[in-house]
């Protein structure tokens, strides 16, 4: 009997035993630096001459490891194996597939600090963020396993006296999973195992900045009983390997999490029907956001300041759900701004995330650093710099938590996704205007409203057009099974990861009708 789902609890690092355990795990992770990692195709480990060099974003001279890089020939080999494996994998019992996830969850839970320590080093995540990432990966394993068991029961439909009708879901085929670097374990794990437990075979191309955690997940799944060829681990160039797999006539679906630029390009490529292709490819795409916290004139300003601070600067703002815009009623604007600036100065320090006293770590790489610093220069022209605005890329890629005030709603800083620790403030004359400003971007992922006015809360529930809307809390930290996650408009296809219908995006409905 499978026990009811409950999310994995977060680790309390104020407890000395937990703190020492993670410190020991970080030391062990440091002892493993510089290793070589192979591809995994059909269960075969394949080393290639060309490698992806993975560095610690907090110390770019420190090499986490060297990961073999797939080319088109190897991608084709992996695709052929995945296609052949699908012929029998699609017929396996849902319980068999779900049990692999449950066993994998148990393995990760036992080795939780080991994975968290790796996320600190490879992803530059502070302890709290890394622990939450590991917990979310466990949640995806547990939740999707249970969801598959429910879906396997089929859906009740009507039958007439002369016939017996049934409706059930079947898998799609070979899927390409292209995962991001920010939730390097959780999203990578969730998107991969969702496809697998639904009965599909997978070609996993993790982000080039963080591919090693995906290899470690493969080891766990193999230990949990995953057969060879079901998931194939093929890190490589997006343009060489990613595009080739997306275009492949035998690819049935593409699951992507990342930038709008790449997501829209993949969406367009996937729409083209290639020679030998006999289906329209399905896309499951999540592309980011420009997320707003609205603060009403009737609100708890201390709660609002806390919500803004942790939503804007958690993991250096490198979350698609991060608060990058604050729209405050003009009556509370100045006081709220002062509180956020004060909290940022006093509480949001930054440095090497191996030191748990640091609230923020680095941004992921040089490209991200340069982009964020460019936006800070834009912000200085568009608004008033209240705190931060500095960066240091001499050792790692560090950007100070930055607050801009008095921005116009249509300013670039208020419209374009920065993906860094930068938040902009603008004011509204009424709550209605605040919601209009919140909706004035091309995105629609998350948002939050801080208000003690019930009428305004209900107005926002109807009119604030985002996939995940929160009241009187921040706009980050969705929990699998509790806050199904996915956005509208240019935030993606609203596939609602961690929700009751997510797995169905990887399946197709089939009706059978037998005359009696």
């Amino acid at each position: 009997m499978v026990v009811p789902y409950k999310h994995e609890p977060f680790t309390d690092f104020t407890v000395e035993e937990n703190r020492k355990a993670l410190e020991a795990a970080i030391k062990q992770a440091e002892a493993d630096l510089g290793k070589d990692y192979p591809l995994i195709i059909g269960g075969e480990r394949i080393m290639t001459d060309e490698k992806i060099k993975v560095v610690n974003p907090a110390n770019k001279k420190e090499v986490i490891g060297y990961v073999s890089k797939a080319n088109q020939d190897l991608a084709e080999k992996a695709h052929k194996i995945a296609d052949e494996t699908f012929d029998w994998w699609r017929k396996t019992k849902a319980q068999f597939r779900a049990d692999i996830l449950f066993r994998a969850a148990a393995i990760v839970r036992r080795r939780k600090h080991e994975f968290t320590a790796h996320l600190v080093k490879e992803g530059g995540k502070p302890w709290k963020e890394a622990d939450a990432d590991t917990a979310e990966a466990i949640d995806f394993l547990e939740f999707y396993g249970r969801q598959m068991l429910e879906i396997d029961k089929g859906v009740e439909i009507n039958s007439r006296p002369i016939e017996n009708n049934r409706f059930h879901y079947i898998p799609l085929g070979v899927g390409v999973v292209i995962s991001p670097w920010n939730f390097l374990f959780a999203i990578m794990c969730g998107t991969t195992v969702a496809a697998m437990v639904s009965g599909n075979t997978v070609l996993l191309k993790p982000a080039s900045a963080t591919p090693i955690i995906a290899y470690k997940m493969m080891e766990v799944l193999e230990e949990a009983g995953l057969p060879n060829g079901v998931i194939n681990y093929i890190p490589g160039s997006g343009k060489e390997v990613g595009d080739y797999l997306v275009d492949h006539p035998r690819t049935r679906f593409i699951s992507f999490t990342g930038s709008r630029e790449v997501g829209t390009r993949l969406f367009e490529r996937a729409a083209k029907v290639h020679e030998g292709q006999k289906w329209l490819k399905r896309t499951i795409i999540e592309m980011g956001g420009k997320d707003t916290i609205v603060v009403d004139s009737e609100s708890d300003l201390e709660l609002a300041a806390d919500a803004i601070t942790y939503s804007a600067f958690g993991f250096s703002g490198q979350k698609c759900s991060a608060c990058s815009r604050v729209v405050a009623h003009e009556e509370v604007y100045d006081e709220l701004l002062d509180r956020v600036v004060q909290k940022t100065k006093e509480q949001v320090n930054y440095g090497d995330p191996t030191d748990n006293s640091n609230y923020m770590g680095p941004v992921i790489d040089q490209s991200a650093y340069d982009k964020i610093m460019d936006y800070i220069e834009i912000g200085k022209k568009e608004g008033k710099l209240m705190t931060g605005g500095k960066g240091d890329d001499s050792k790692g890629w560090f950007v100070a938590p930055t607050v801009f005030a008095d921005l116009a709603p249509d300013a670039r800083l208020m419209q374009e996704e920065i993906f860094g620790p930068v938040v902009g403030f603008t004011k509204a004359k009424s709550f209605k205007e605040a919601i209009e400003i919140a909706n004035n971007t091309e995105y629609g992922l998350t948002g939050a409203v801080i208000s003690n006015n019930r009428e305004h809360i209900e107005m926002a529930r109807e009119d604030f057009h985002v996939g995940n809307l929160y009241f009187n809390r921040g706009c980050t930290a969705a929990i699998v099974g509790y806050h199904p996650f996915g956005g509208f408009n240019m935030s993606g296809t609203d596939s609602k990861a961690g929700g009751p219908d997510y797995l169905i995006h990887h399946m197709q409905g089939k009706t059978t009708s037998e005359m009696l």
Side-chain angles (χ1 to χ4, degrees):
M1 179 180 175
V2 179
V3 298
Y5 170 75
K6 184 178 180 181
H7 81 86
E8 181 71 15
F10 304 127
T11 305
D12 182 355
F13 290 114
T14 64
V15 176
E16 184 178 9
E17 180 183 2
N18 294 337
R19 178 178 55 79
K20 287 185 175 180
L22 188 55
E23 287 173 345
I26 289 172
K27 284 187 171 60
Q28 181 58 51
E30 290 171 342
D32 290 338
L33 294 175
K35 286 187 174 181
D36 288 326
Y37 295 88
L39 309 175
I40 304 176
I41 298 176
E44 179 187 0
R45 264 62 175 173
I46 300 173
M47 287 288 189
T48 62
D49 293 335
E50 194 172 0
K51 309 286 186 184
I52 299 171
K53 180 181 178 182
V54 183
V55 301
N56 176 359
N59 179 5
K60 52 193 176 182
K61 291 184 179 178
E62 186 174 82
V63 179
I64 305 298
Y66 299 91
V67 177
S68 288
K69 193 173 183 180
N71 55 29
Q72 284 190 10
D73 289 341
L74 289 168
E76 176 60 32
K77 177 179 179 178
H79 204 300
K80 187 173 185 296
I81 287 173
D83 208 3
E84 292 170 350
T85 304
F86 177 70
D87 280 343
W88 63 266
W89 177 249
R90 65 185 175 86
K91 298 180 180 180
T92 56
K93 293 185 180 299
Q95 184 71 64
F96 171 74
R97 301 193 300 265
D99 281 347
I100 294 172
L101 300 199
F102 298 145
R103 287 195 294 271
I107 294 167
V108 176
R109 191 177 289 115
R110 287 194 295 268
R111 296 164 52 191
K112 191 173 184 181
H113 294 314
E114 173 190 334
F115 286 96
T116 298
H118 184 82
L119 300 184
V120 172
K121 300 297 285 188
E122 186 178 15
K125 289 204 161 190
W127 288 23
K128 179 181 176 181
E129 300 283 345
D131 177 72
D133 197 324
T134 302
E136 188 174 7
I138 295 170
D139 287 346
F140 278 129
L141 291 163
E142 294 280 4
F143 184 77
Y144 288 150
R146 287 166 175 77
Q147 286 296 304
M148 189 60 235
L149 296 179
E150 288 301 310
I151 292 171
D152 188 54
K153 296 174 183 177
V155 178
E156 185 174 340
I157 59 172
N158 294 321
S159 292
R160 297 179 296 173
I162 61 169
E163 65 192 7
N164 177 17
N165 300 327
R166 297 181 188 178
F167 180 82
H168 65 288
Y169 290 99
I170 62 174
L172 292 172
V174 178
V176 177
V177 173
I178 303 173
S179 62
W181 53 261
N182 60 338
F183 286 85
L184 55 160
F185 192 9
I187 294 179
M188 178 276 302
C189 176
T191 51
T192 302
V193 302
M196 176 275 277
V197 79
S198 302
N200 305 287
T201 53
V202 179
L203 302 168
L204 171 58
K205 198 193 89 62
S208 293
T210 57
I212 296 175
I213 187 66
Y215 182 85
K216 291 180 176 294
M217 182 198 71
M218 290 292 296
E219 291 183 317
V220 168
L221 290 171
E222 288 174 331
E223 183 181 342
L226 181 74
N228 293 338
V230 176
I231 301 175
N232 300 276
Y233 169 75
I234 48 171
S237 160
K239 289 190 175 180
E240 181 182 6
V241 171
D243 286 353
Y244 178 79
L245 294 175
V246 168
D247 294 344
H248 200 291
R250 293 295 297 170
T251 293
R252 185 61 181 82
F253 66 95
I254 299 99
S255 176
F256 168 81
T257 305
S259 71
R260 171 183 168 176
E261 178 187 7
V262 176
T264 52
R265 190 171 66 81
L266 291 180
F267 186 69
E268 182 178 7
R269 293 187 82 103
K272 183 176 180 180
V273 177
H274 295 268
E275 185 178 352
Q277 181 179 326
K278 57 182 181 179
W279 45 62
L280 299 177
K281 293 172 184 172
R282 189 171 297 180
T283 55
I284 306 160
I285 294 176
E286 200 274 289
M287 298 186 296
K290 191 65 180 173
D291 309 300
T292 305
I293 294 182
V294 171
V295 182
D296 195 6
S297 57
E298 301 174 57
S299 63
D300 181 336
L301 293 186
E302 185 64 13
L303 183 154
D306 280 337
I308 291 163
T309 303
Y310 76 72
S311 296
F313 303 131
F315 189 41
S316 303
Q318 297 177 116
K319 301 178 183 180
C320 52
S321 60
C323 172
S324 59
R325 314 194 318 156
V326 176
V327 182
H329 193 285
E330 60 183 8
E331 292 180 11
V332 298
Y333 179 89
D334 290 335
E335 182 180 351
L336 175 68
L337 178 62
D338 288 344
R339 287 180 183 237
V340 171
V341 170
Q342 182 180 3
K343 284 182 180 292
T344 302
K345 289 179 177 178
E346 294 177 355
Q347 299 177 15
V348 189
N349 63 327
Y350 61 100
D352 193 321
T354 57
D355 181 350
N356 191 35
S357 67
N358 288 320
Y359 188 99
M360 278 186 6
V363 298
I364 191 64
D365 58 21
Q366 190 69 51
S367 176
Y369 176 88
D370 292 341
K371 177 185 175 184
I372 296 163
M373 295 309 297
D374 286 345
Y375 271 110
I376 286 173
E377 291 307 307
I378 292 168
K380 290 176 181 177
K381 297 173 184 175
E382 293 184 327
K384 182 180 179 183
L385 177 63
M386 302 300 295
T387 187
K390 299 177 181 178
D392 182 357
D393 62 348
S394 57
K395 182 178 180 182
W397 295 290
F398 294 95
V399 179
T402 301
V403 179
F404 282 100
D406 304 341
L407 291 159
D410 61 352
R412 288 185 64 187
L413 222 65
M414 297 292 279
Q415 293 292 318
E416 299 173 15
E417 189 175 34
I418 301 169
F419 227 67
V422 181
V423 62
F425 277 66
T426 193
K427 66 179 66 172
K429 294 178 180 179
S430 67
F431 187 78
K432 184 176 184 294
E433 183 186 39
I435 297 299
E436 289 172 353
I437 294 171
N439 285 332
N440 75 356
T441 79
E442 295 181 347
Y443 297 96
L445 185 53
T446 75
V449 172
I450 314 297
S451 178
N452 293 325
N453 184 312
R454 173 52 55 182
E455 182 179 346
H456 288 174
I457 287 175
E458 294 308 318
M459 183 192 304
R461 198 188 302 272
E462 292 293 327
D463 295 336
F464 196 160
H465 192 60
V466 290
N468 286 68
L469 179 59
Y470 305 100
F471 297 111
N472 291 314
R473 54 155 284 184
C475 60
T476 62
I479 296 176
V480 173
Y482 295 68
H483 315 117
F485 187 84
F488 307 145
N489 300 342
M490 281 298 163
S491 287
T493 54
D494 190 40
S495 48
K496 284 289 184 279
D501 60 357
Y502 185 71
L503 294 188
I504 293 173
H505 291 280
H506 306 76
M507 309 180 81
Q508 52 196 345
K510 184 173 183 177
T511 301
T512 60
S513 182
E514 181 180 359
M515 297 301 292
L516 299 176

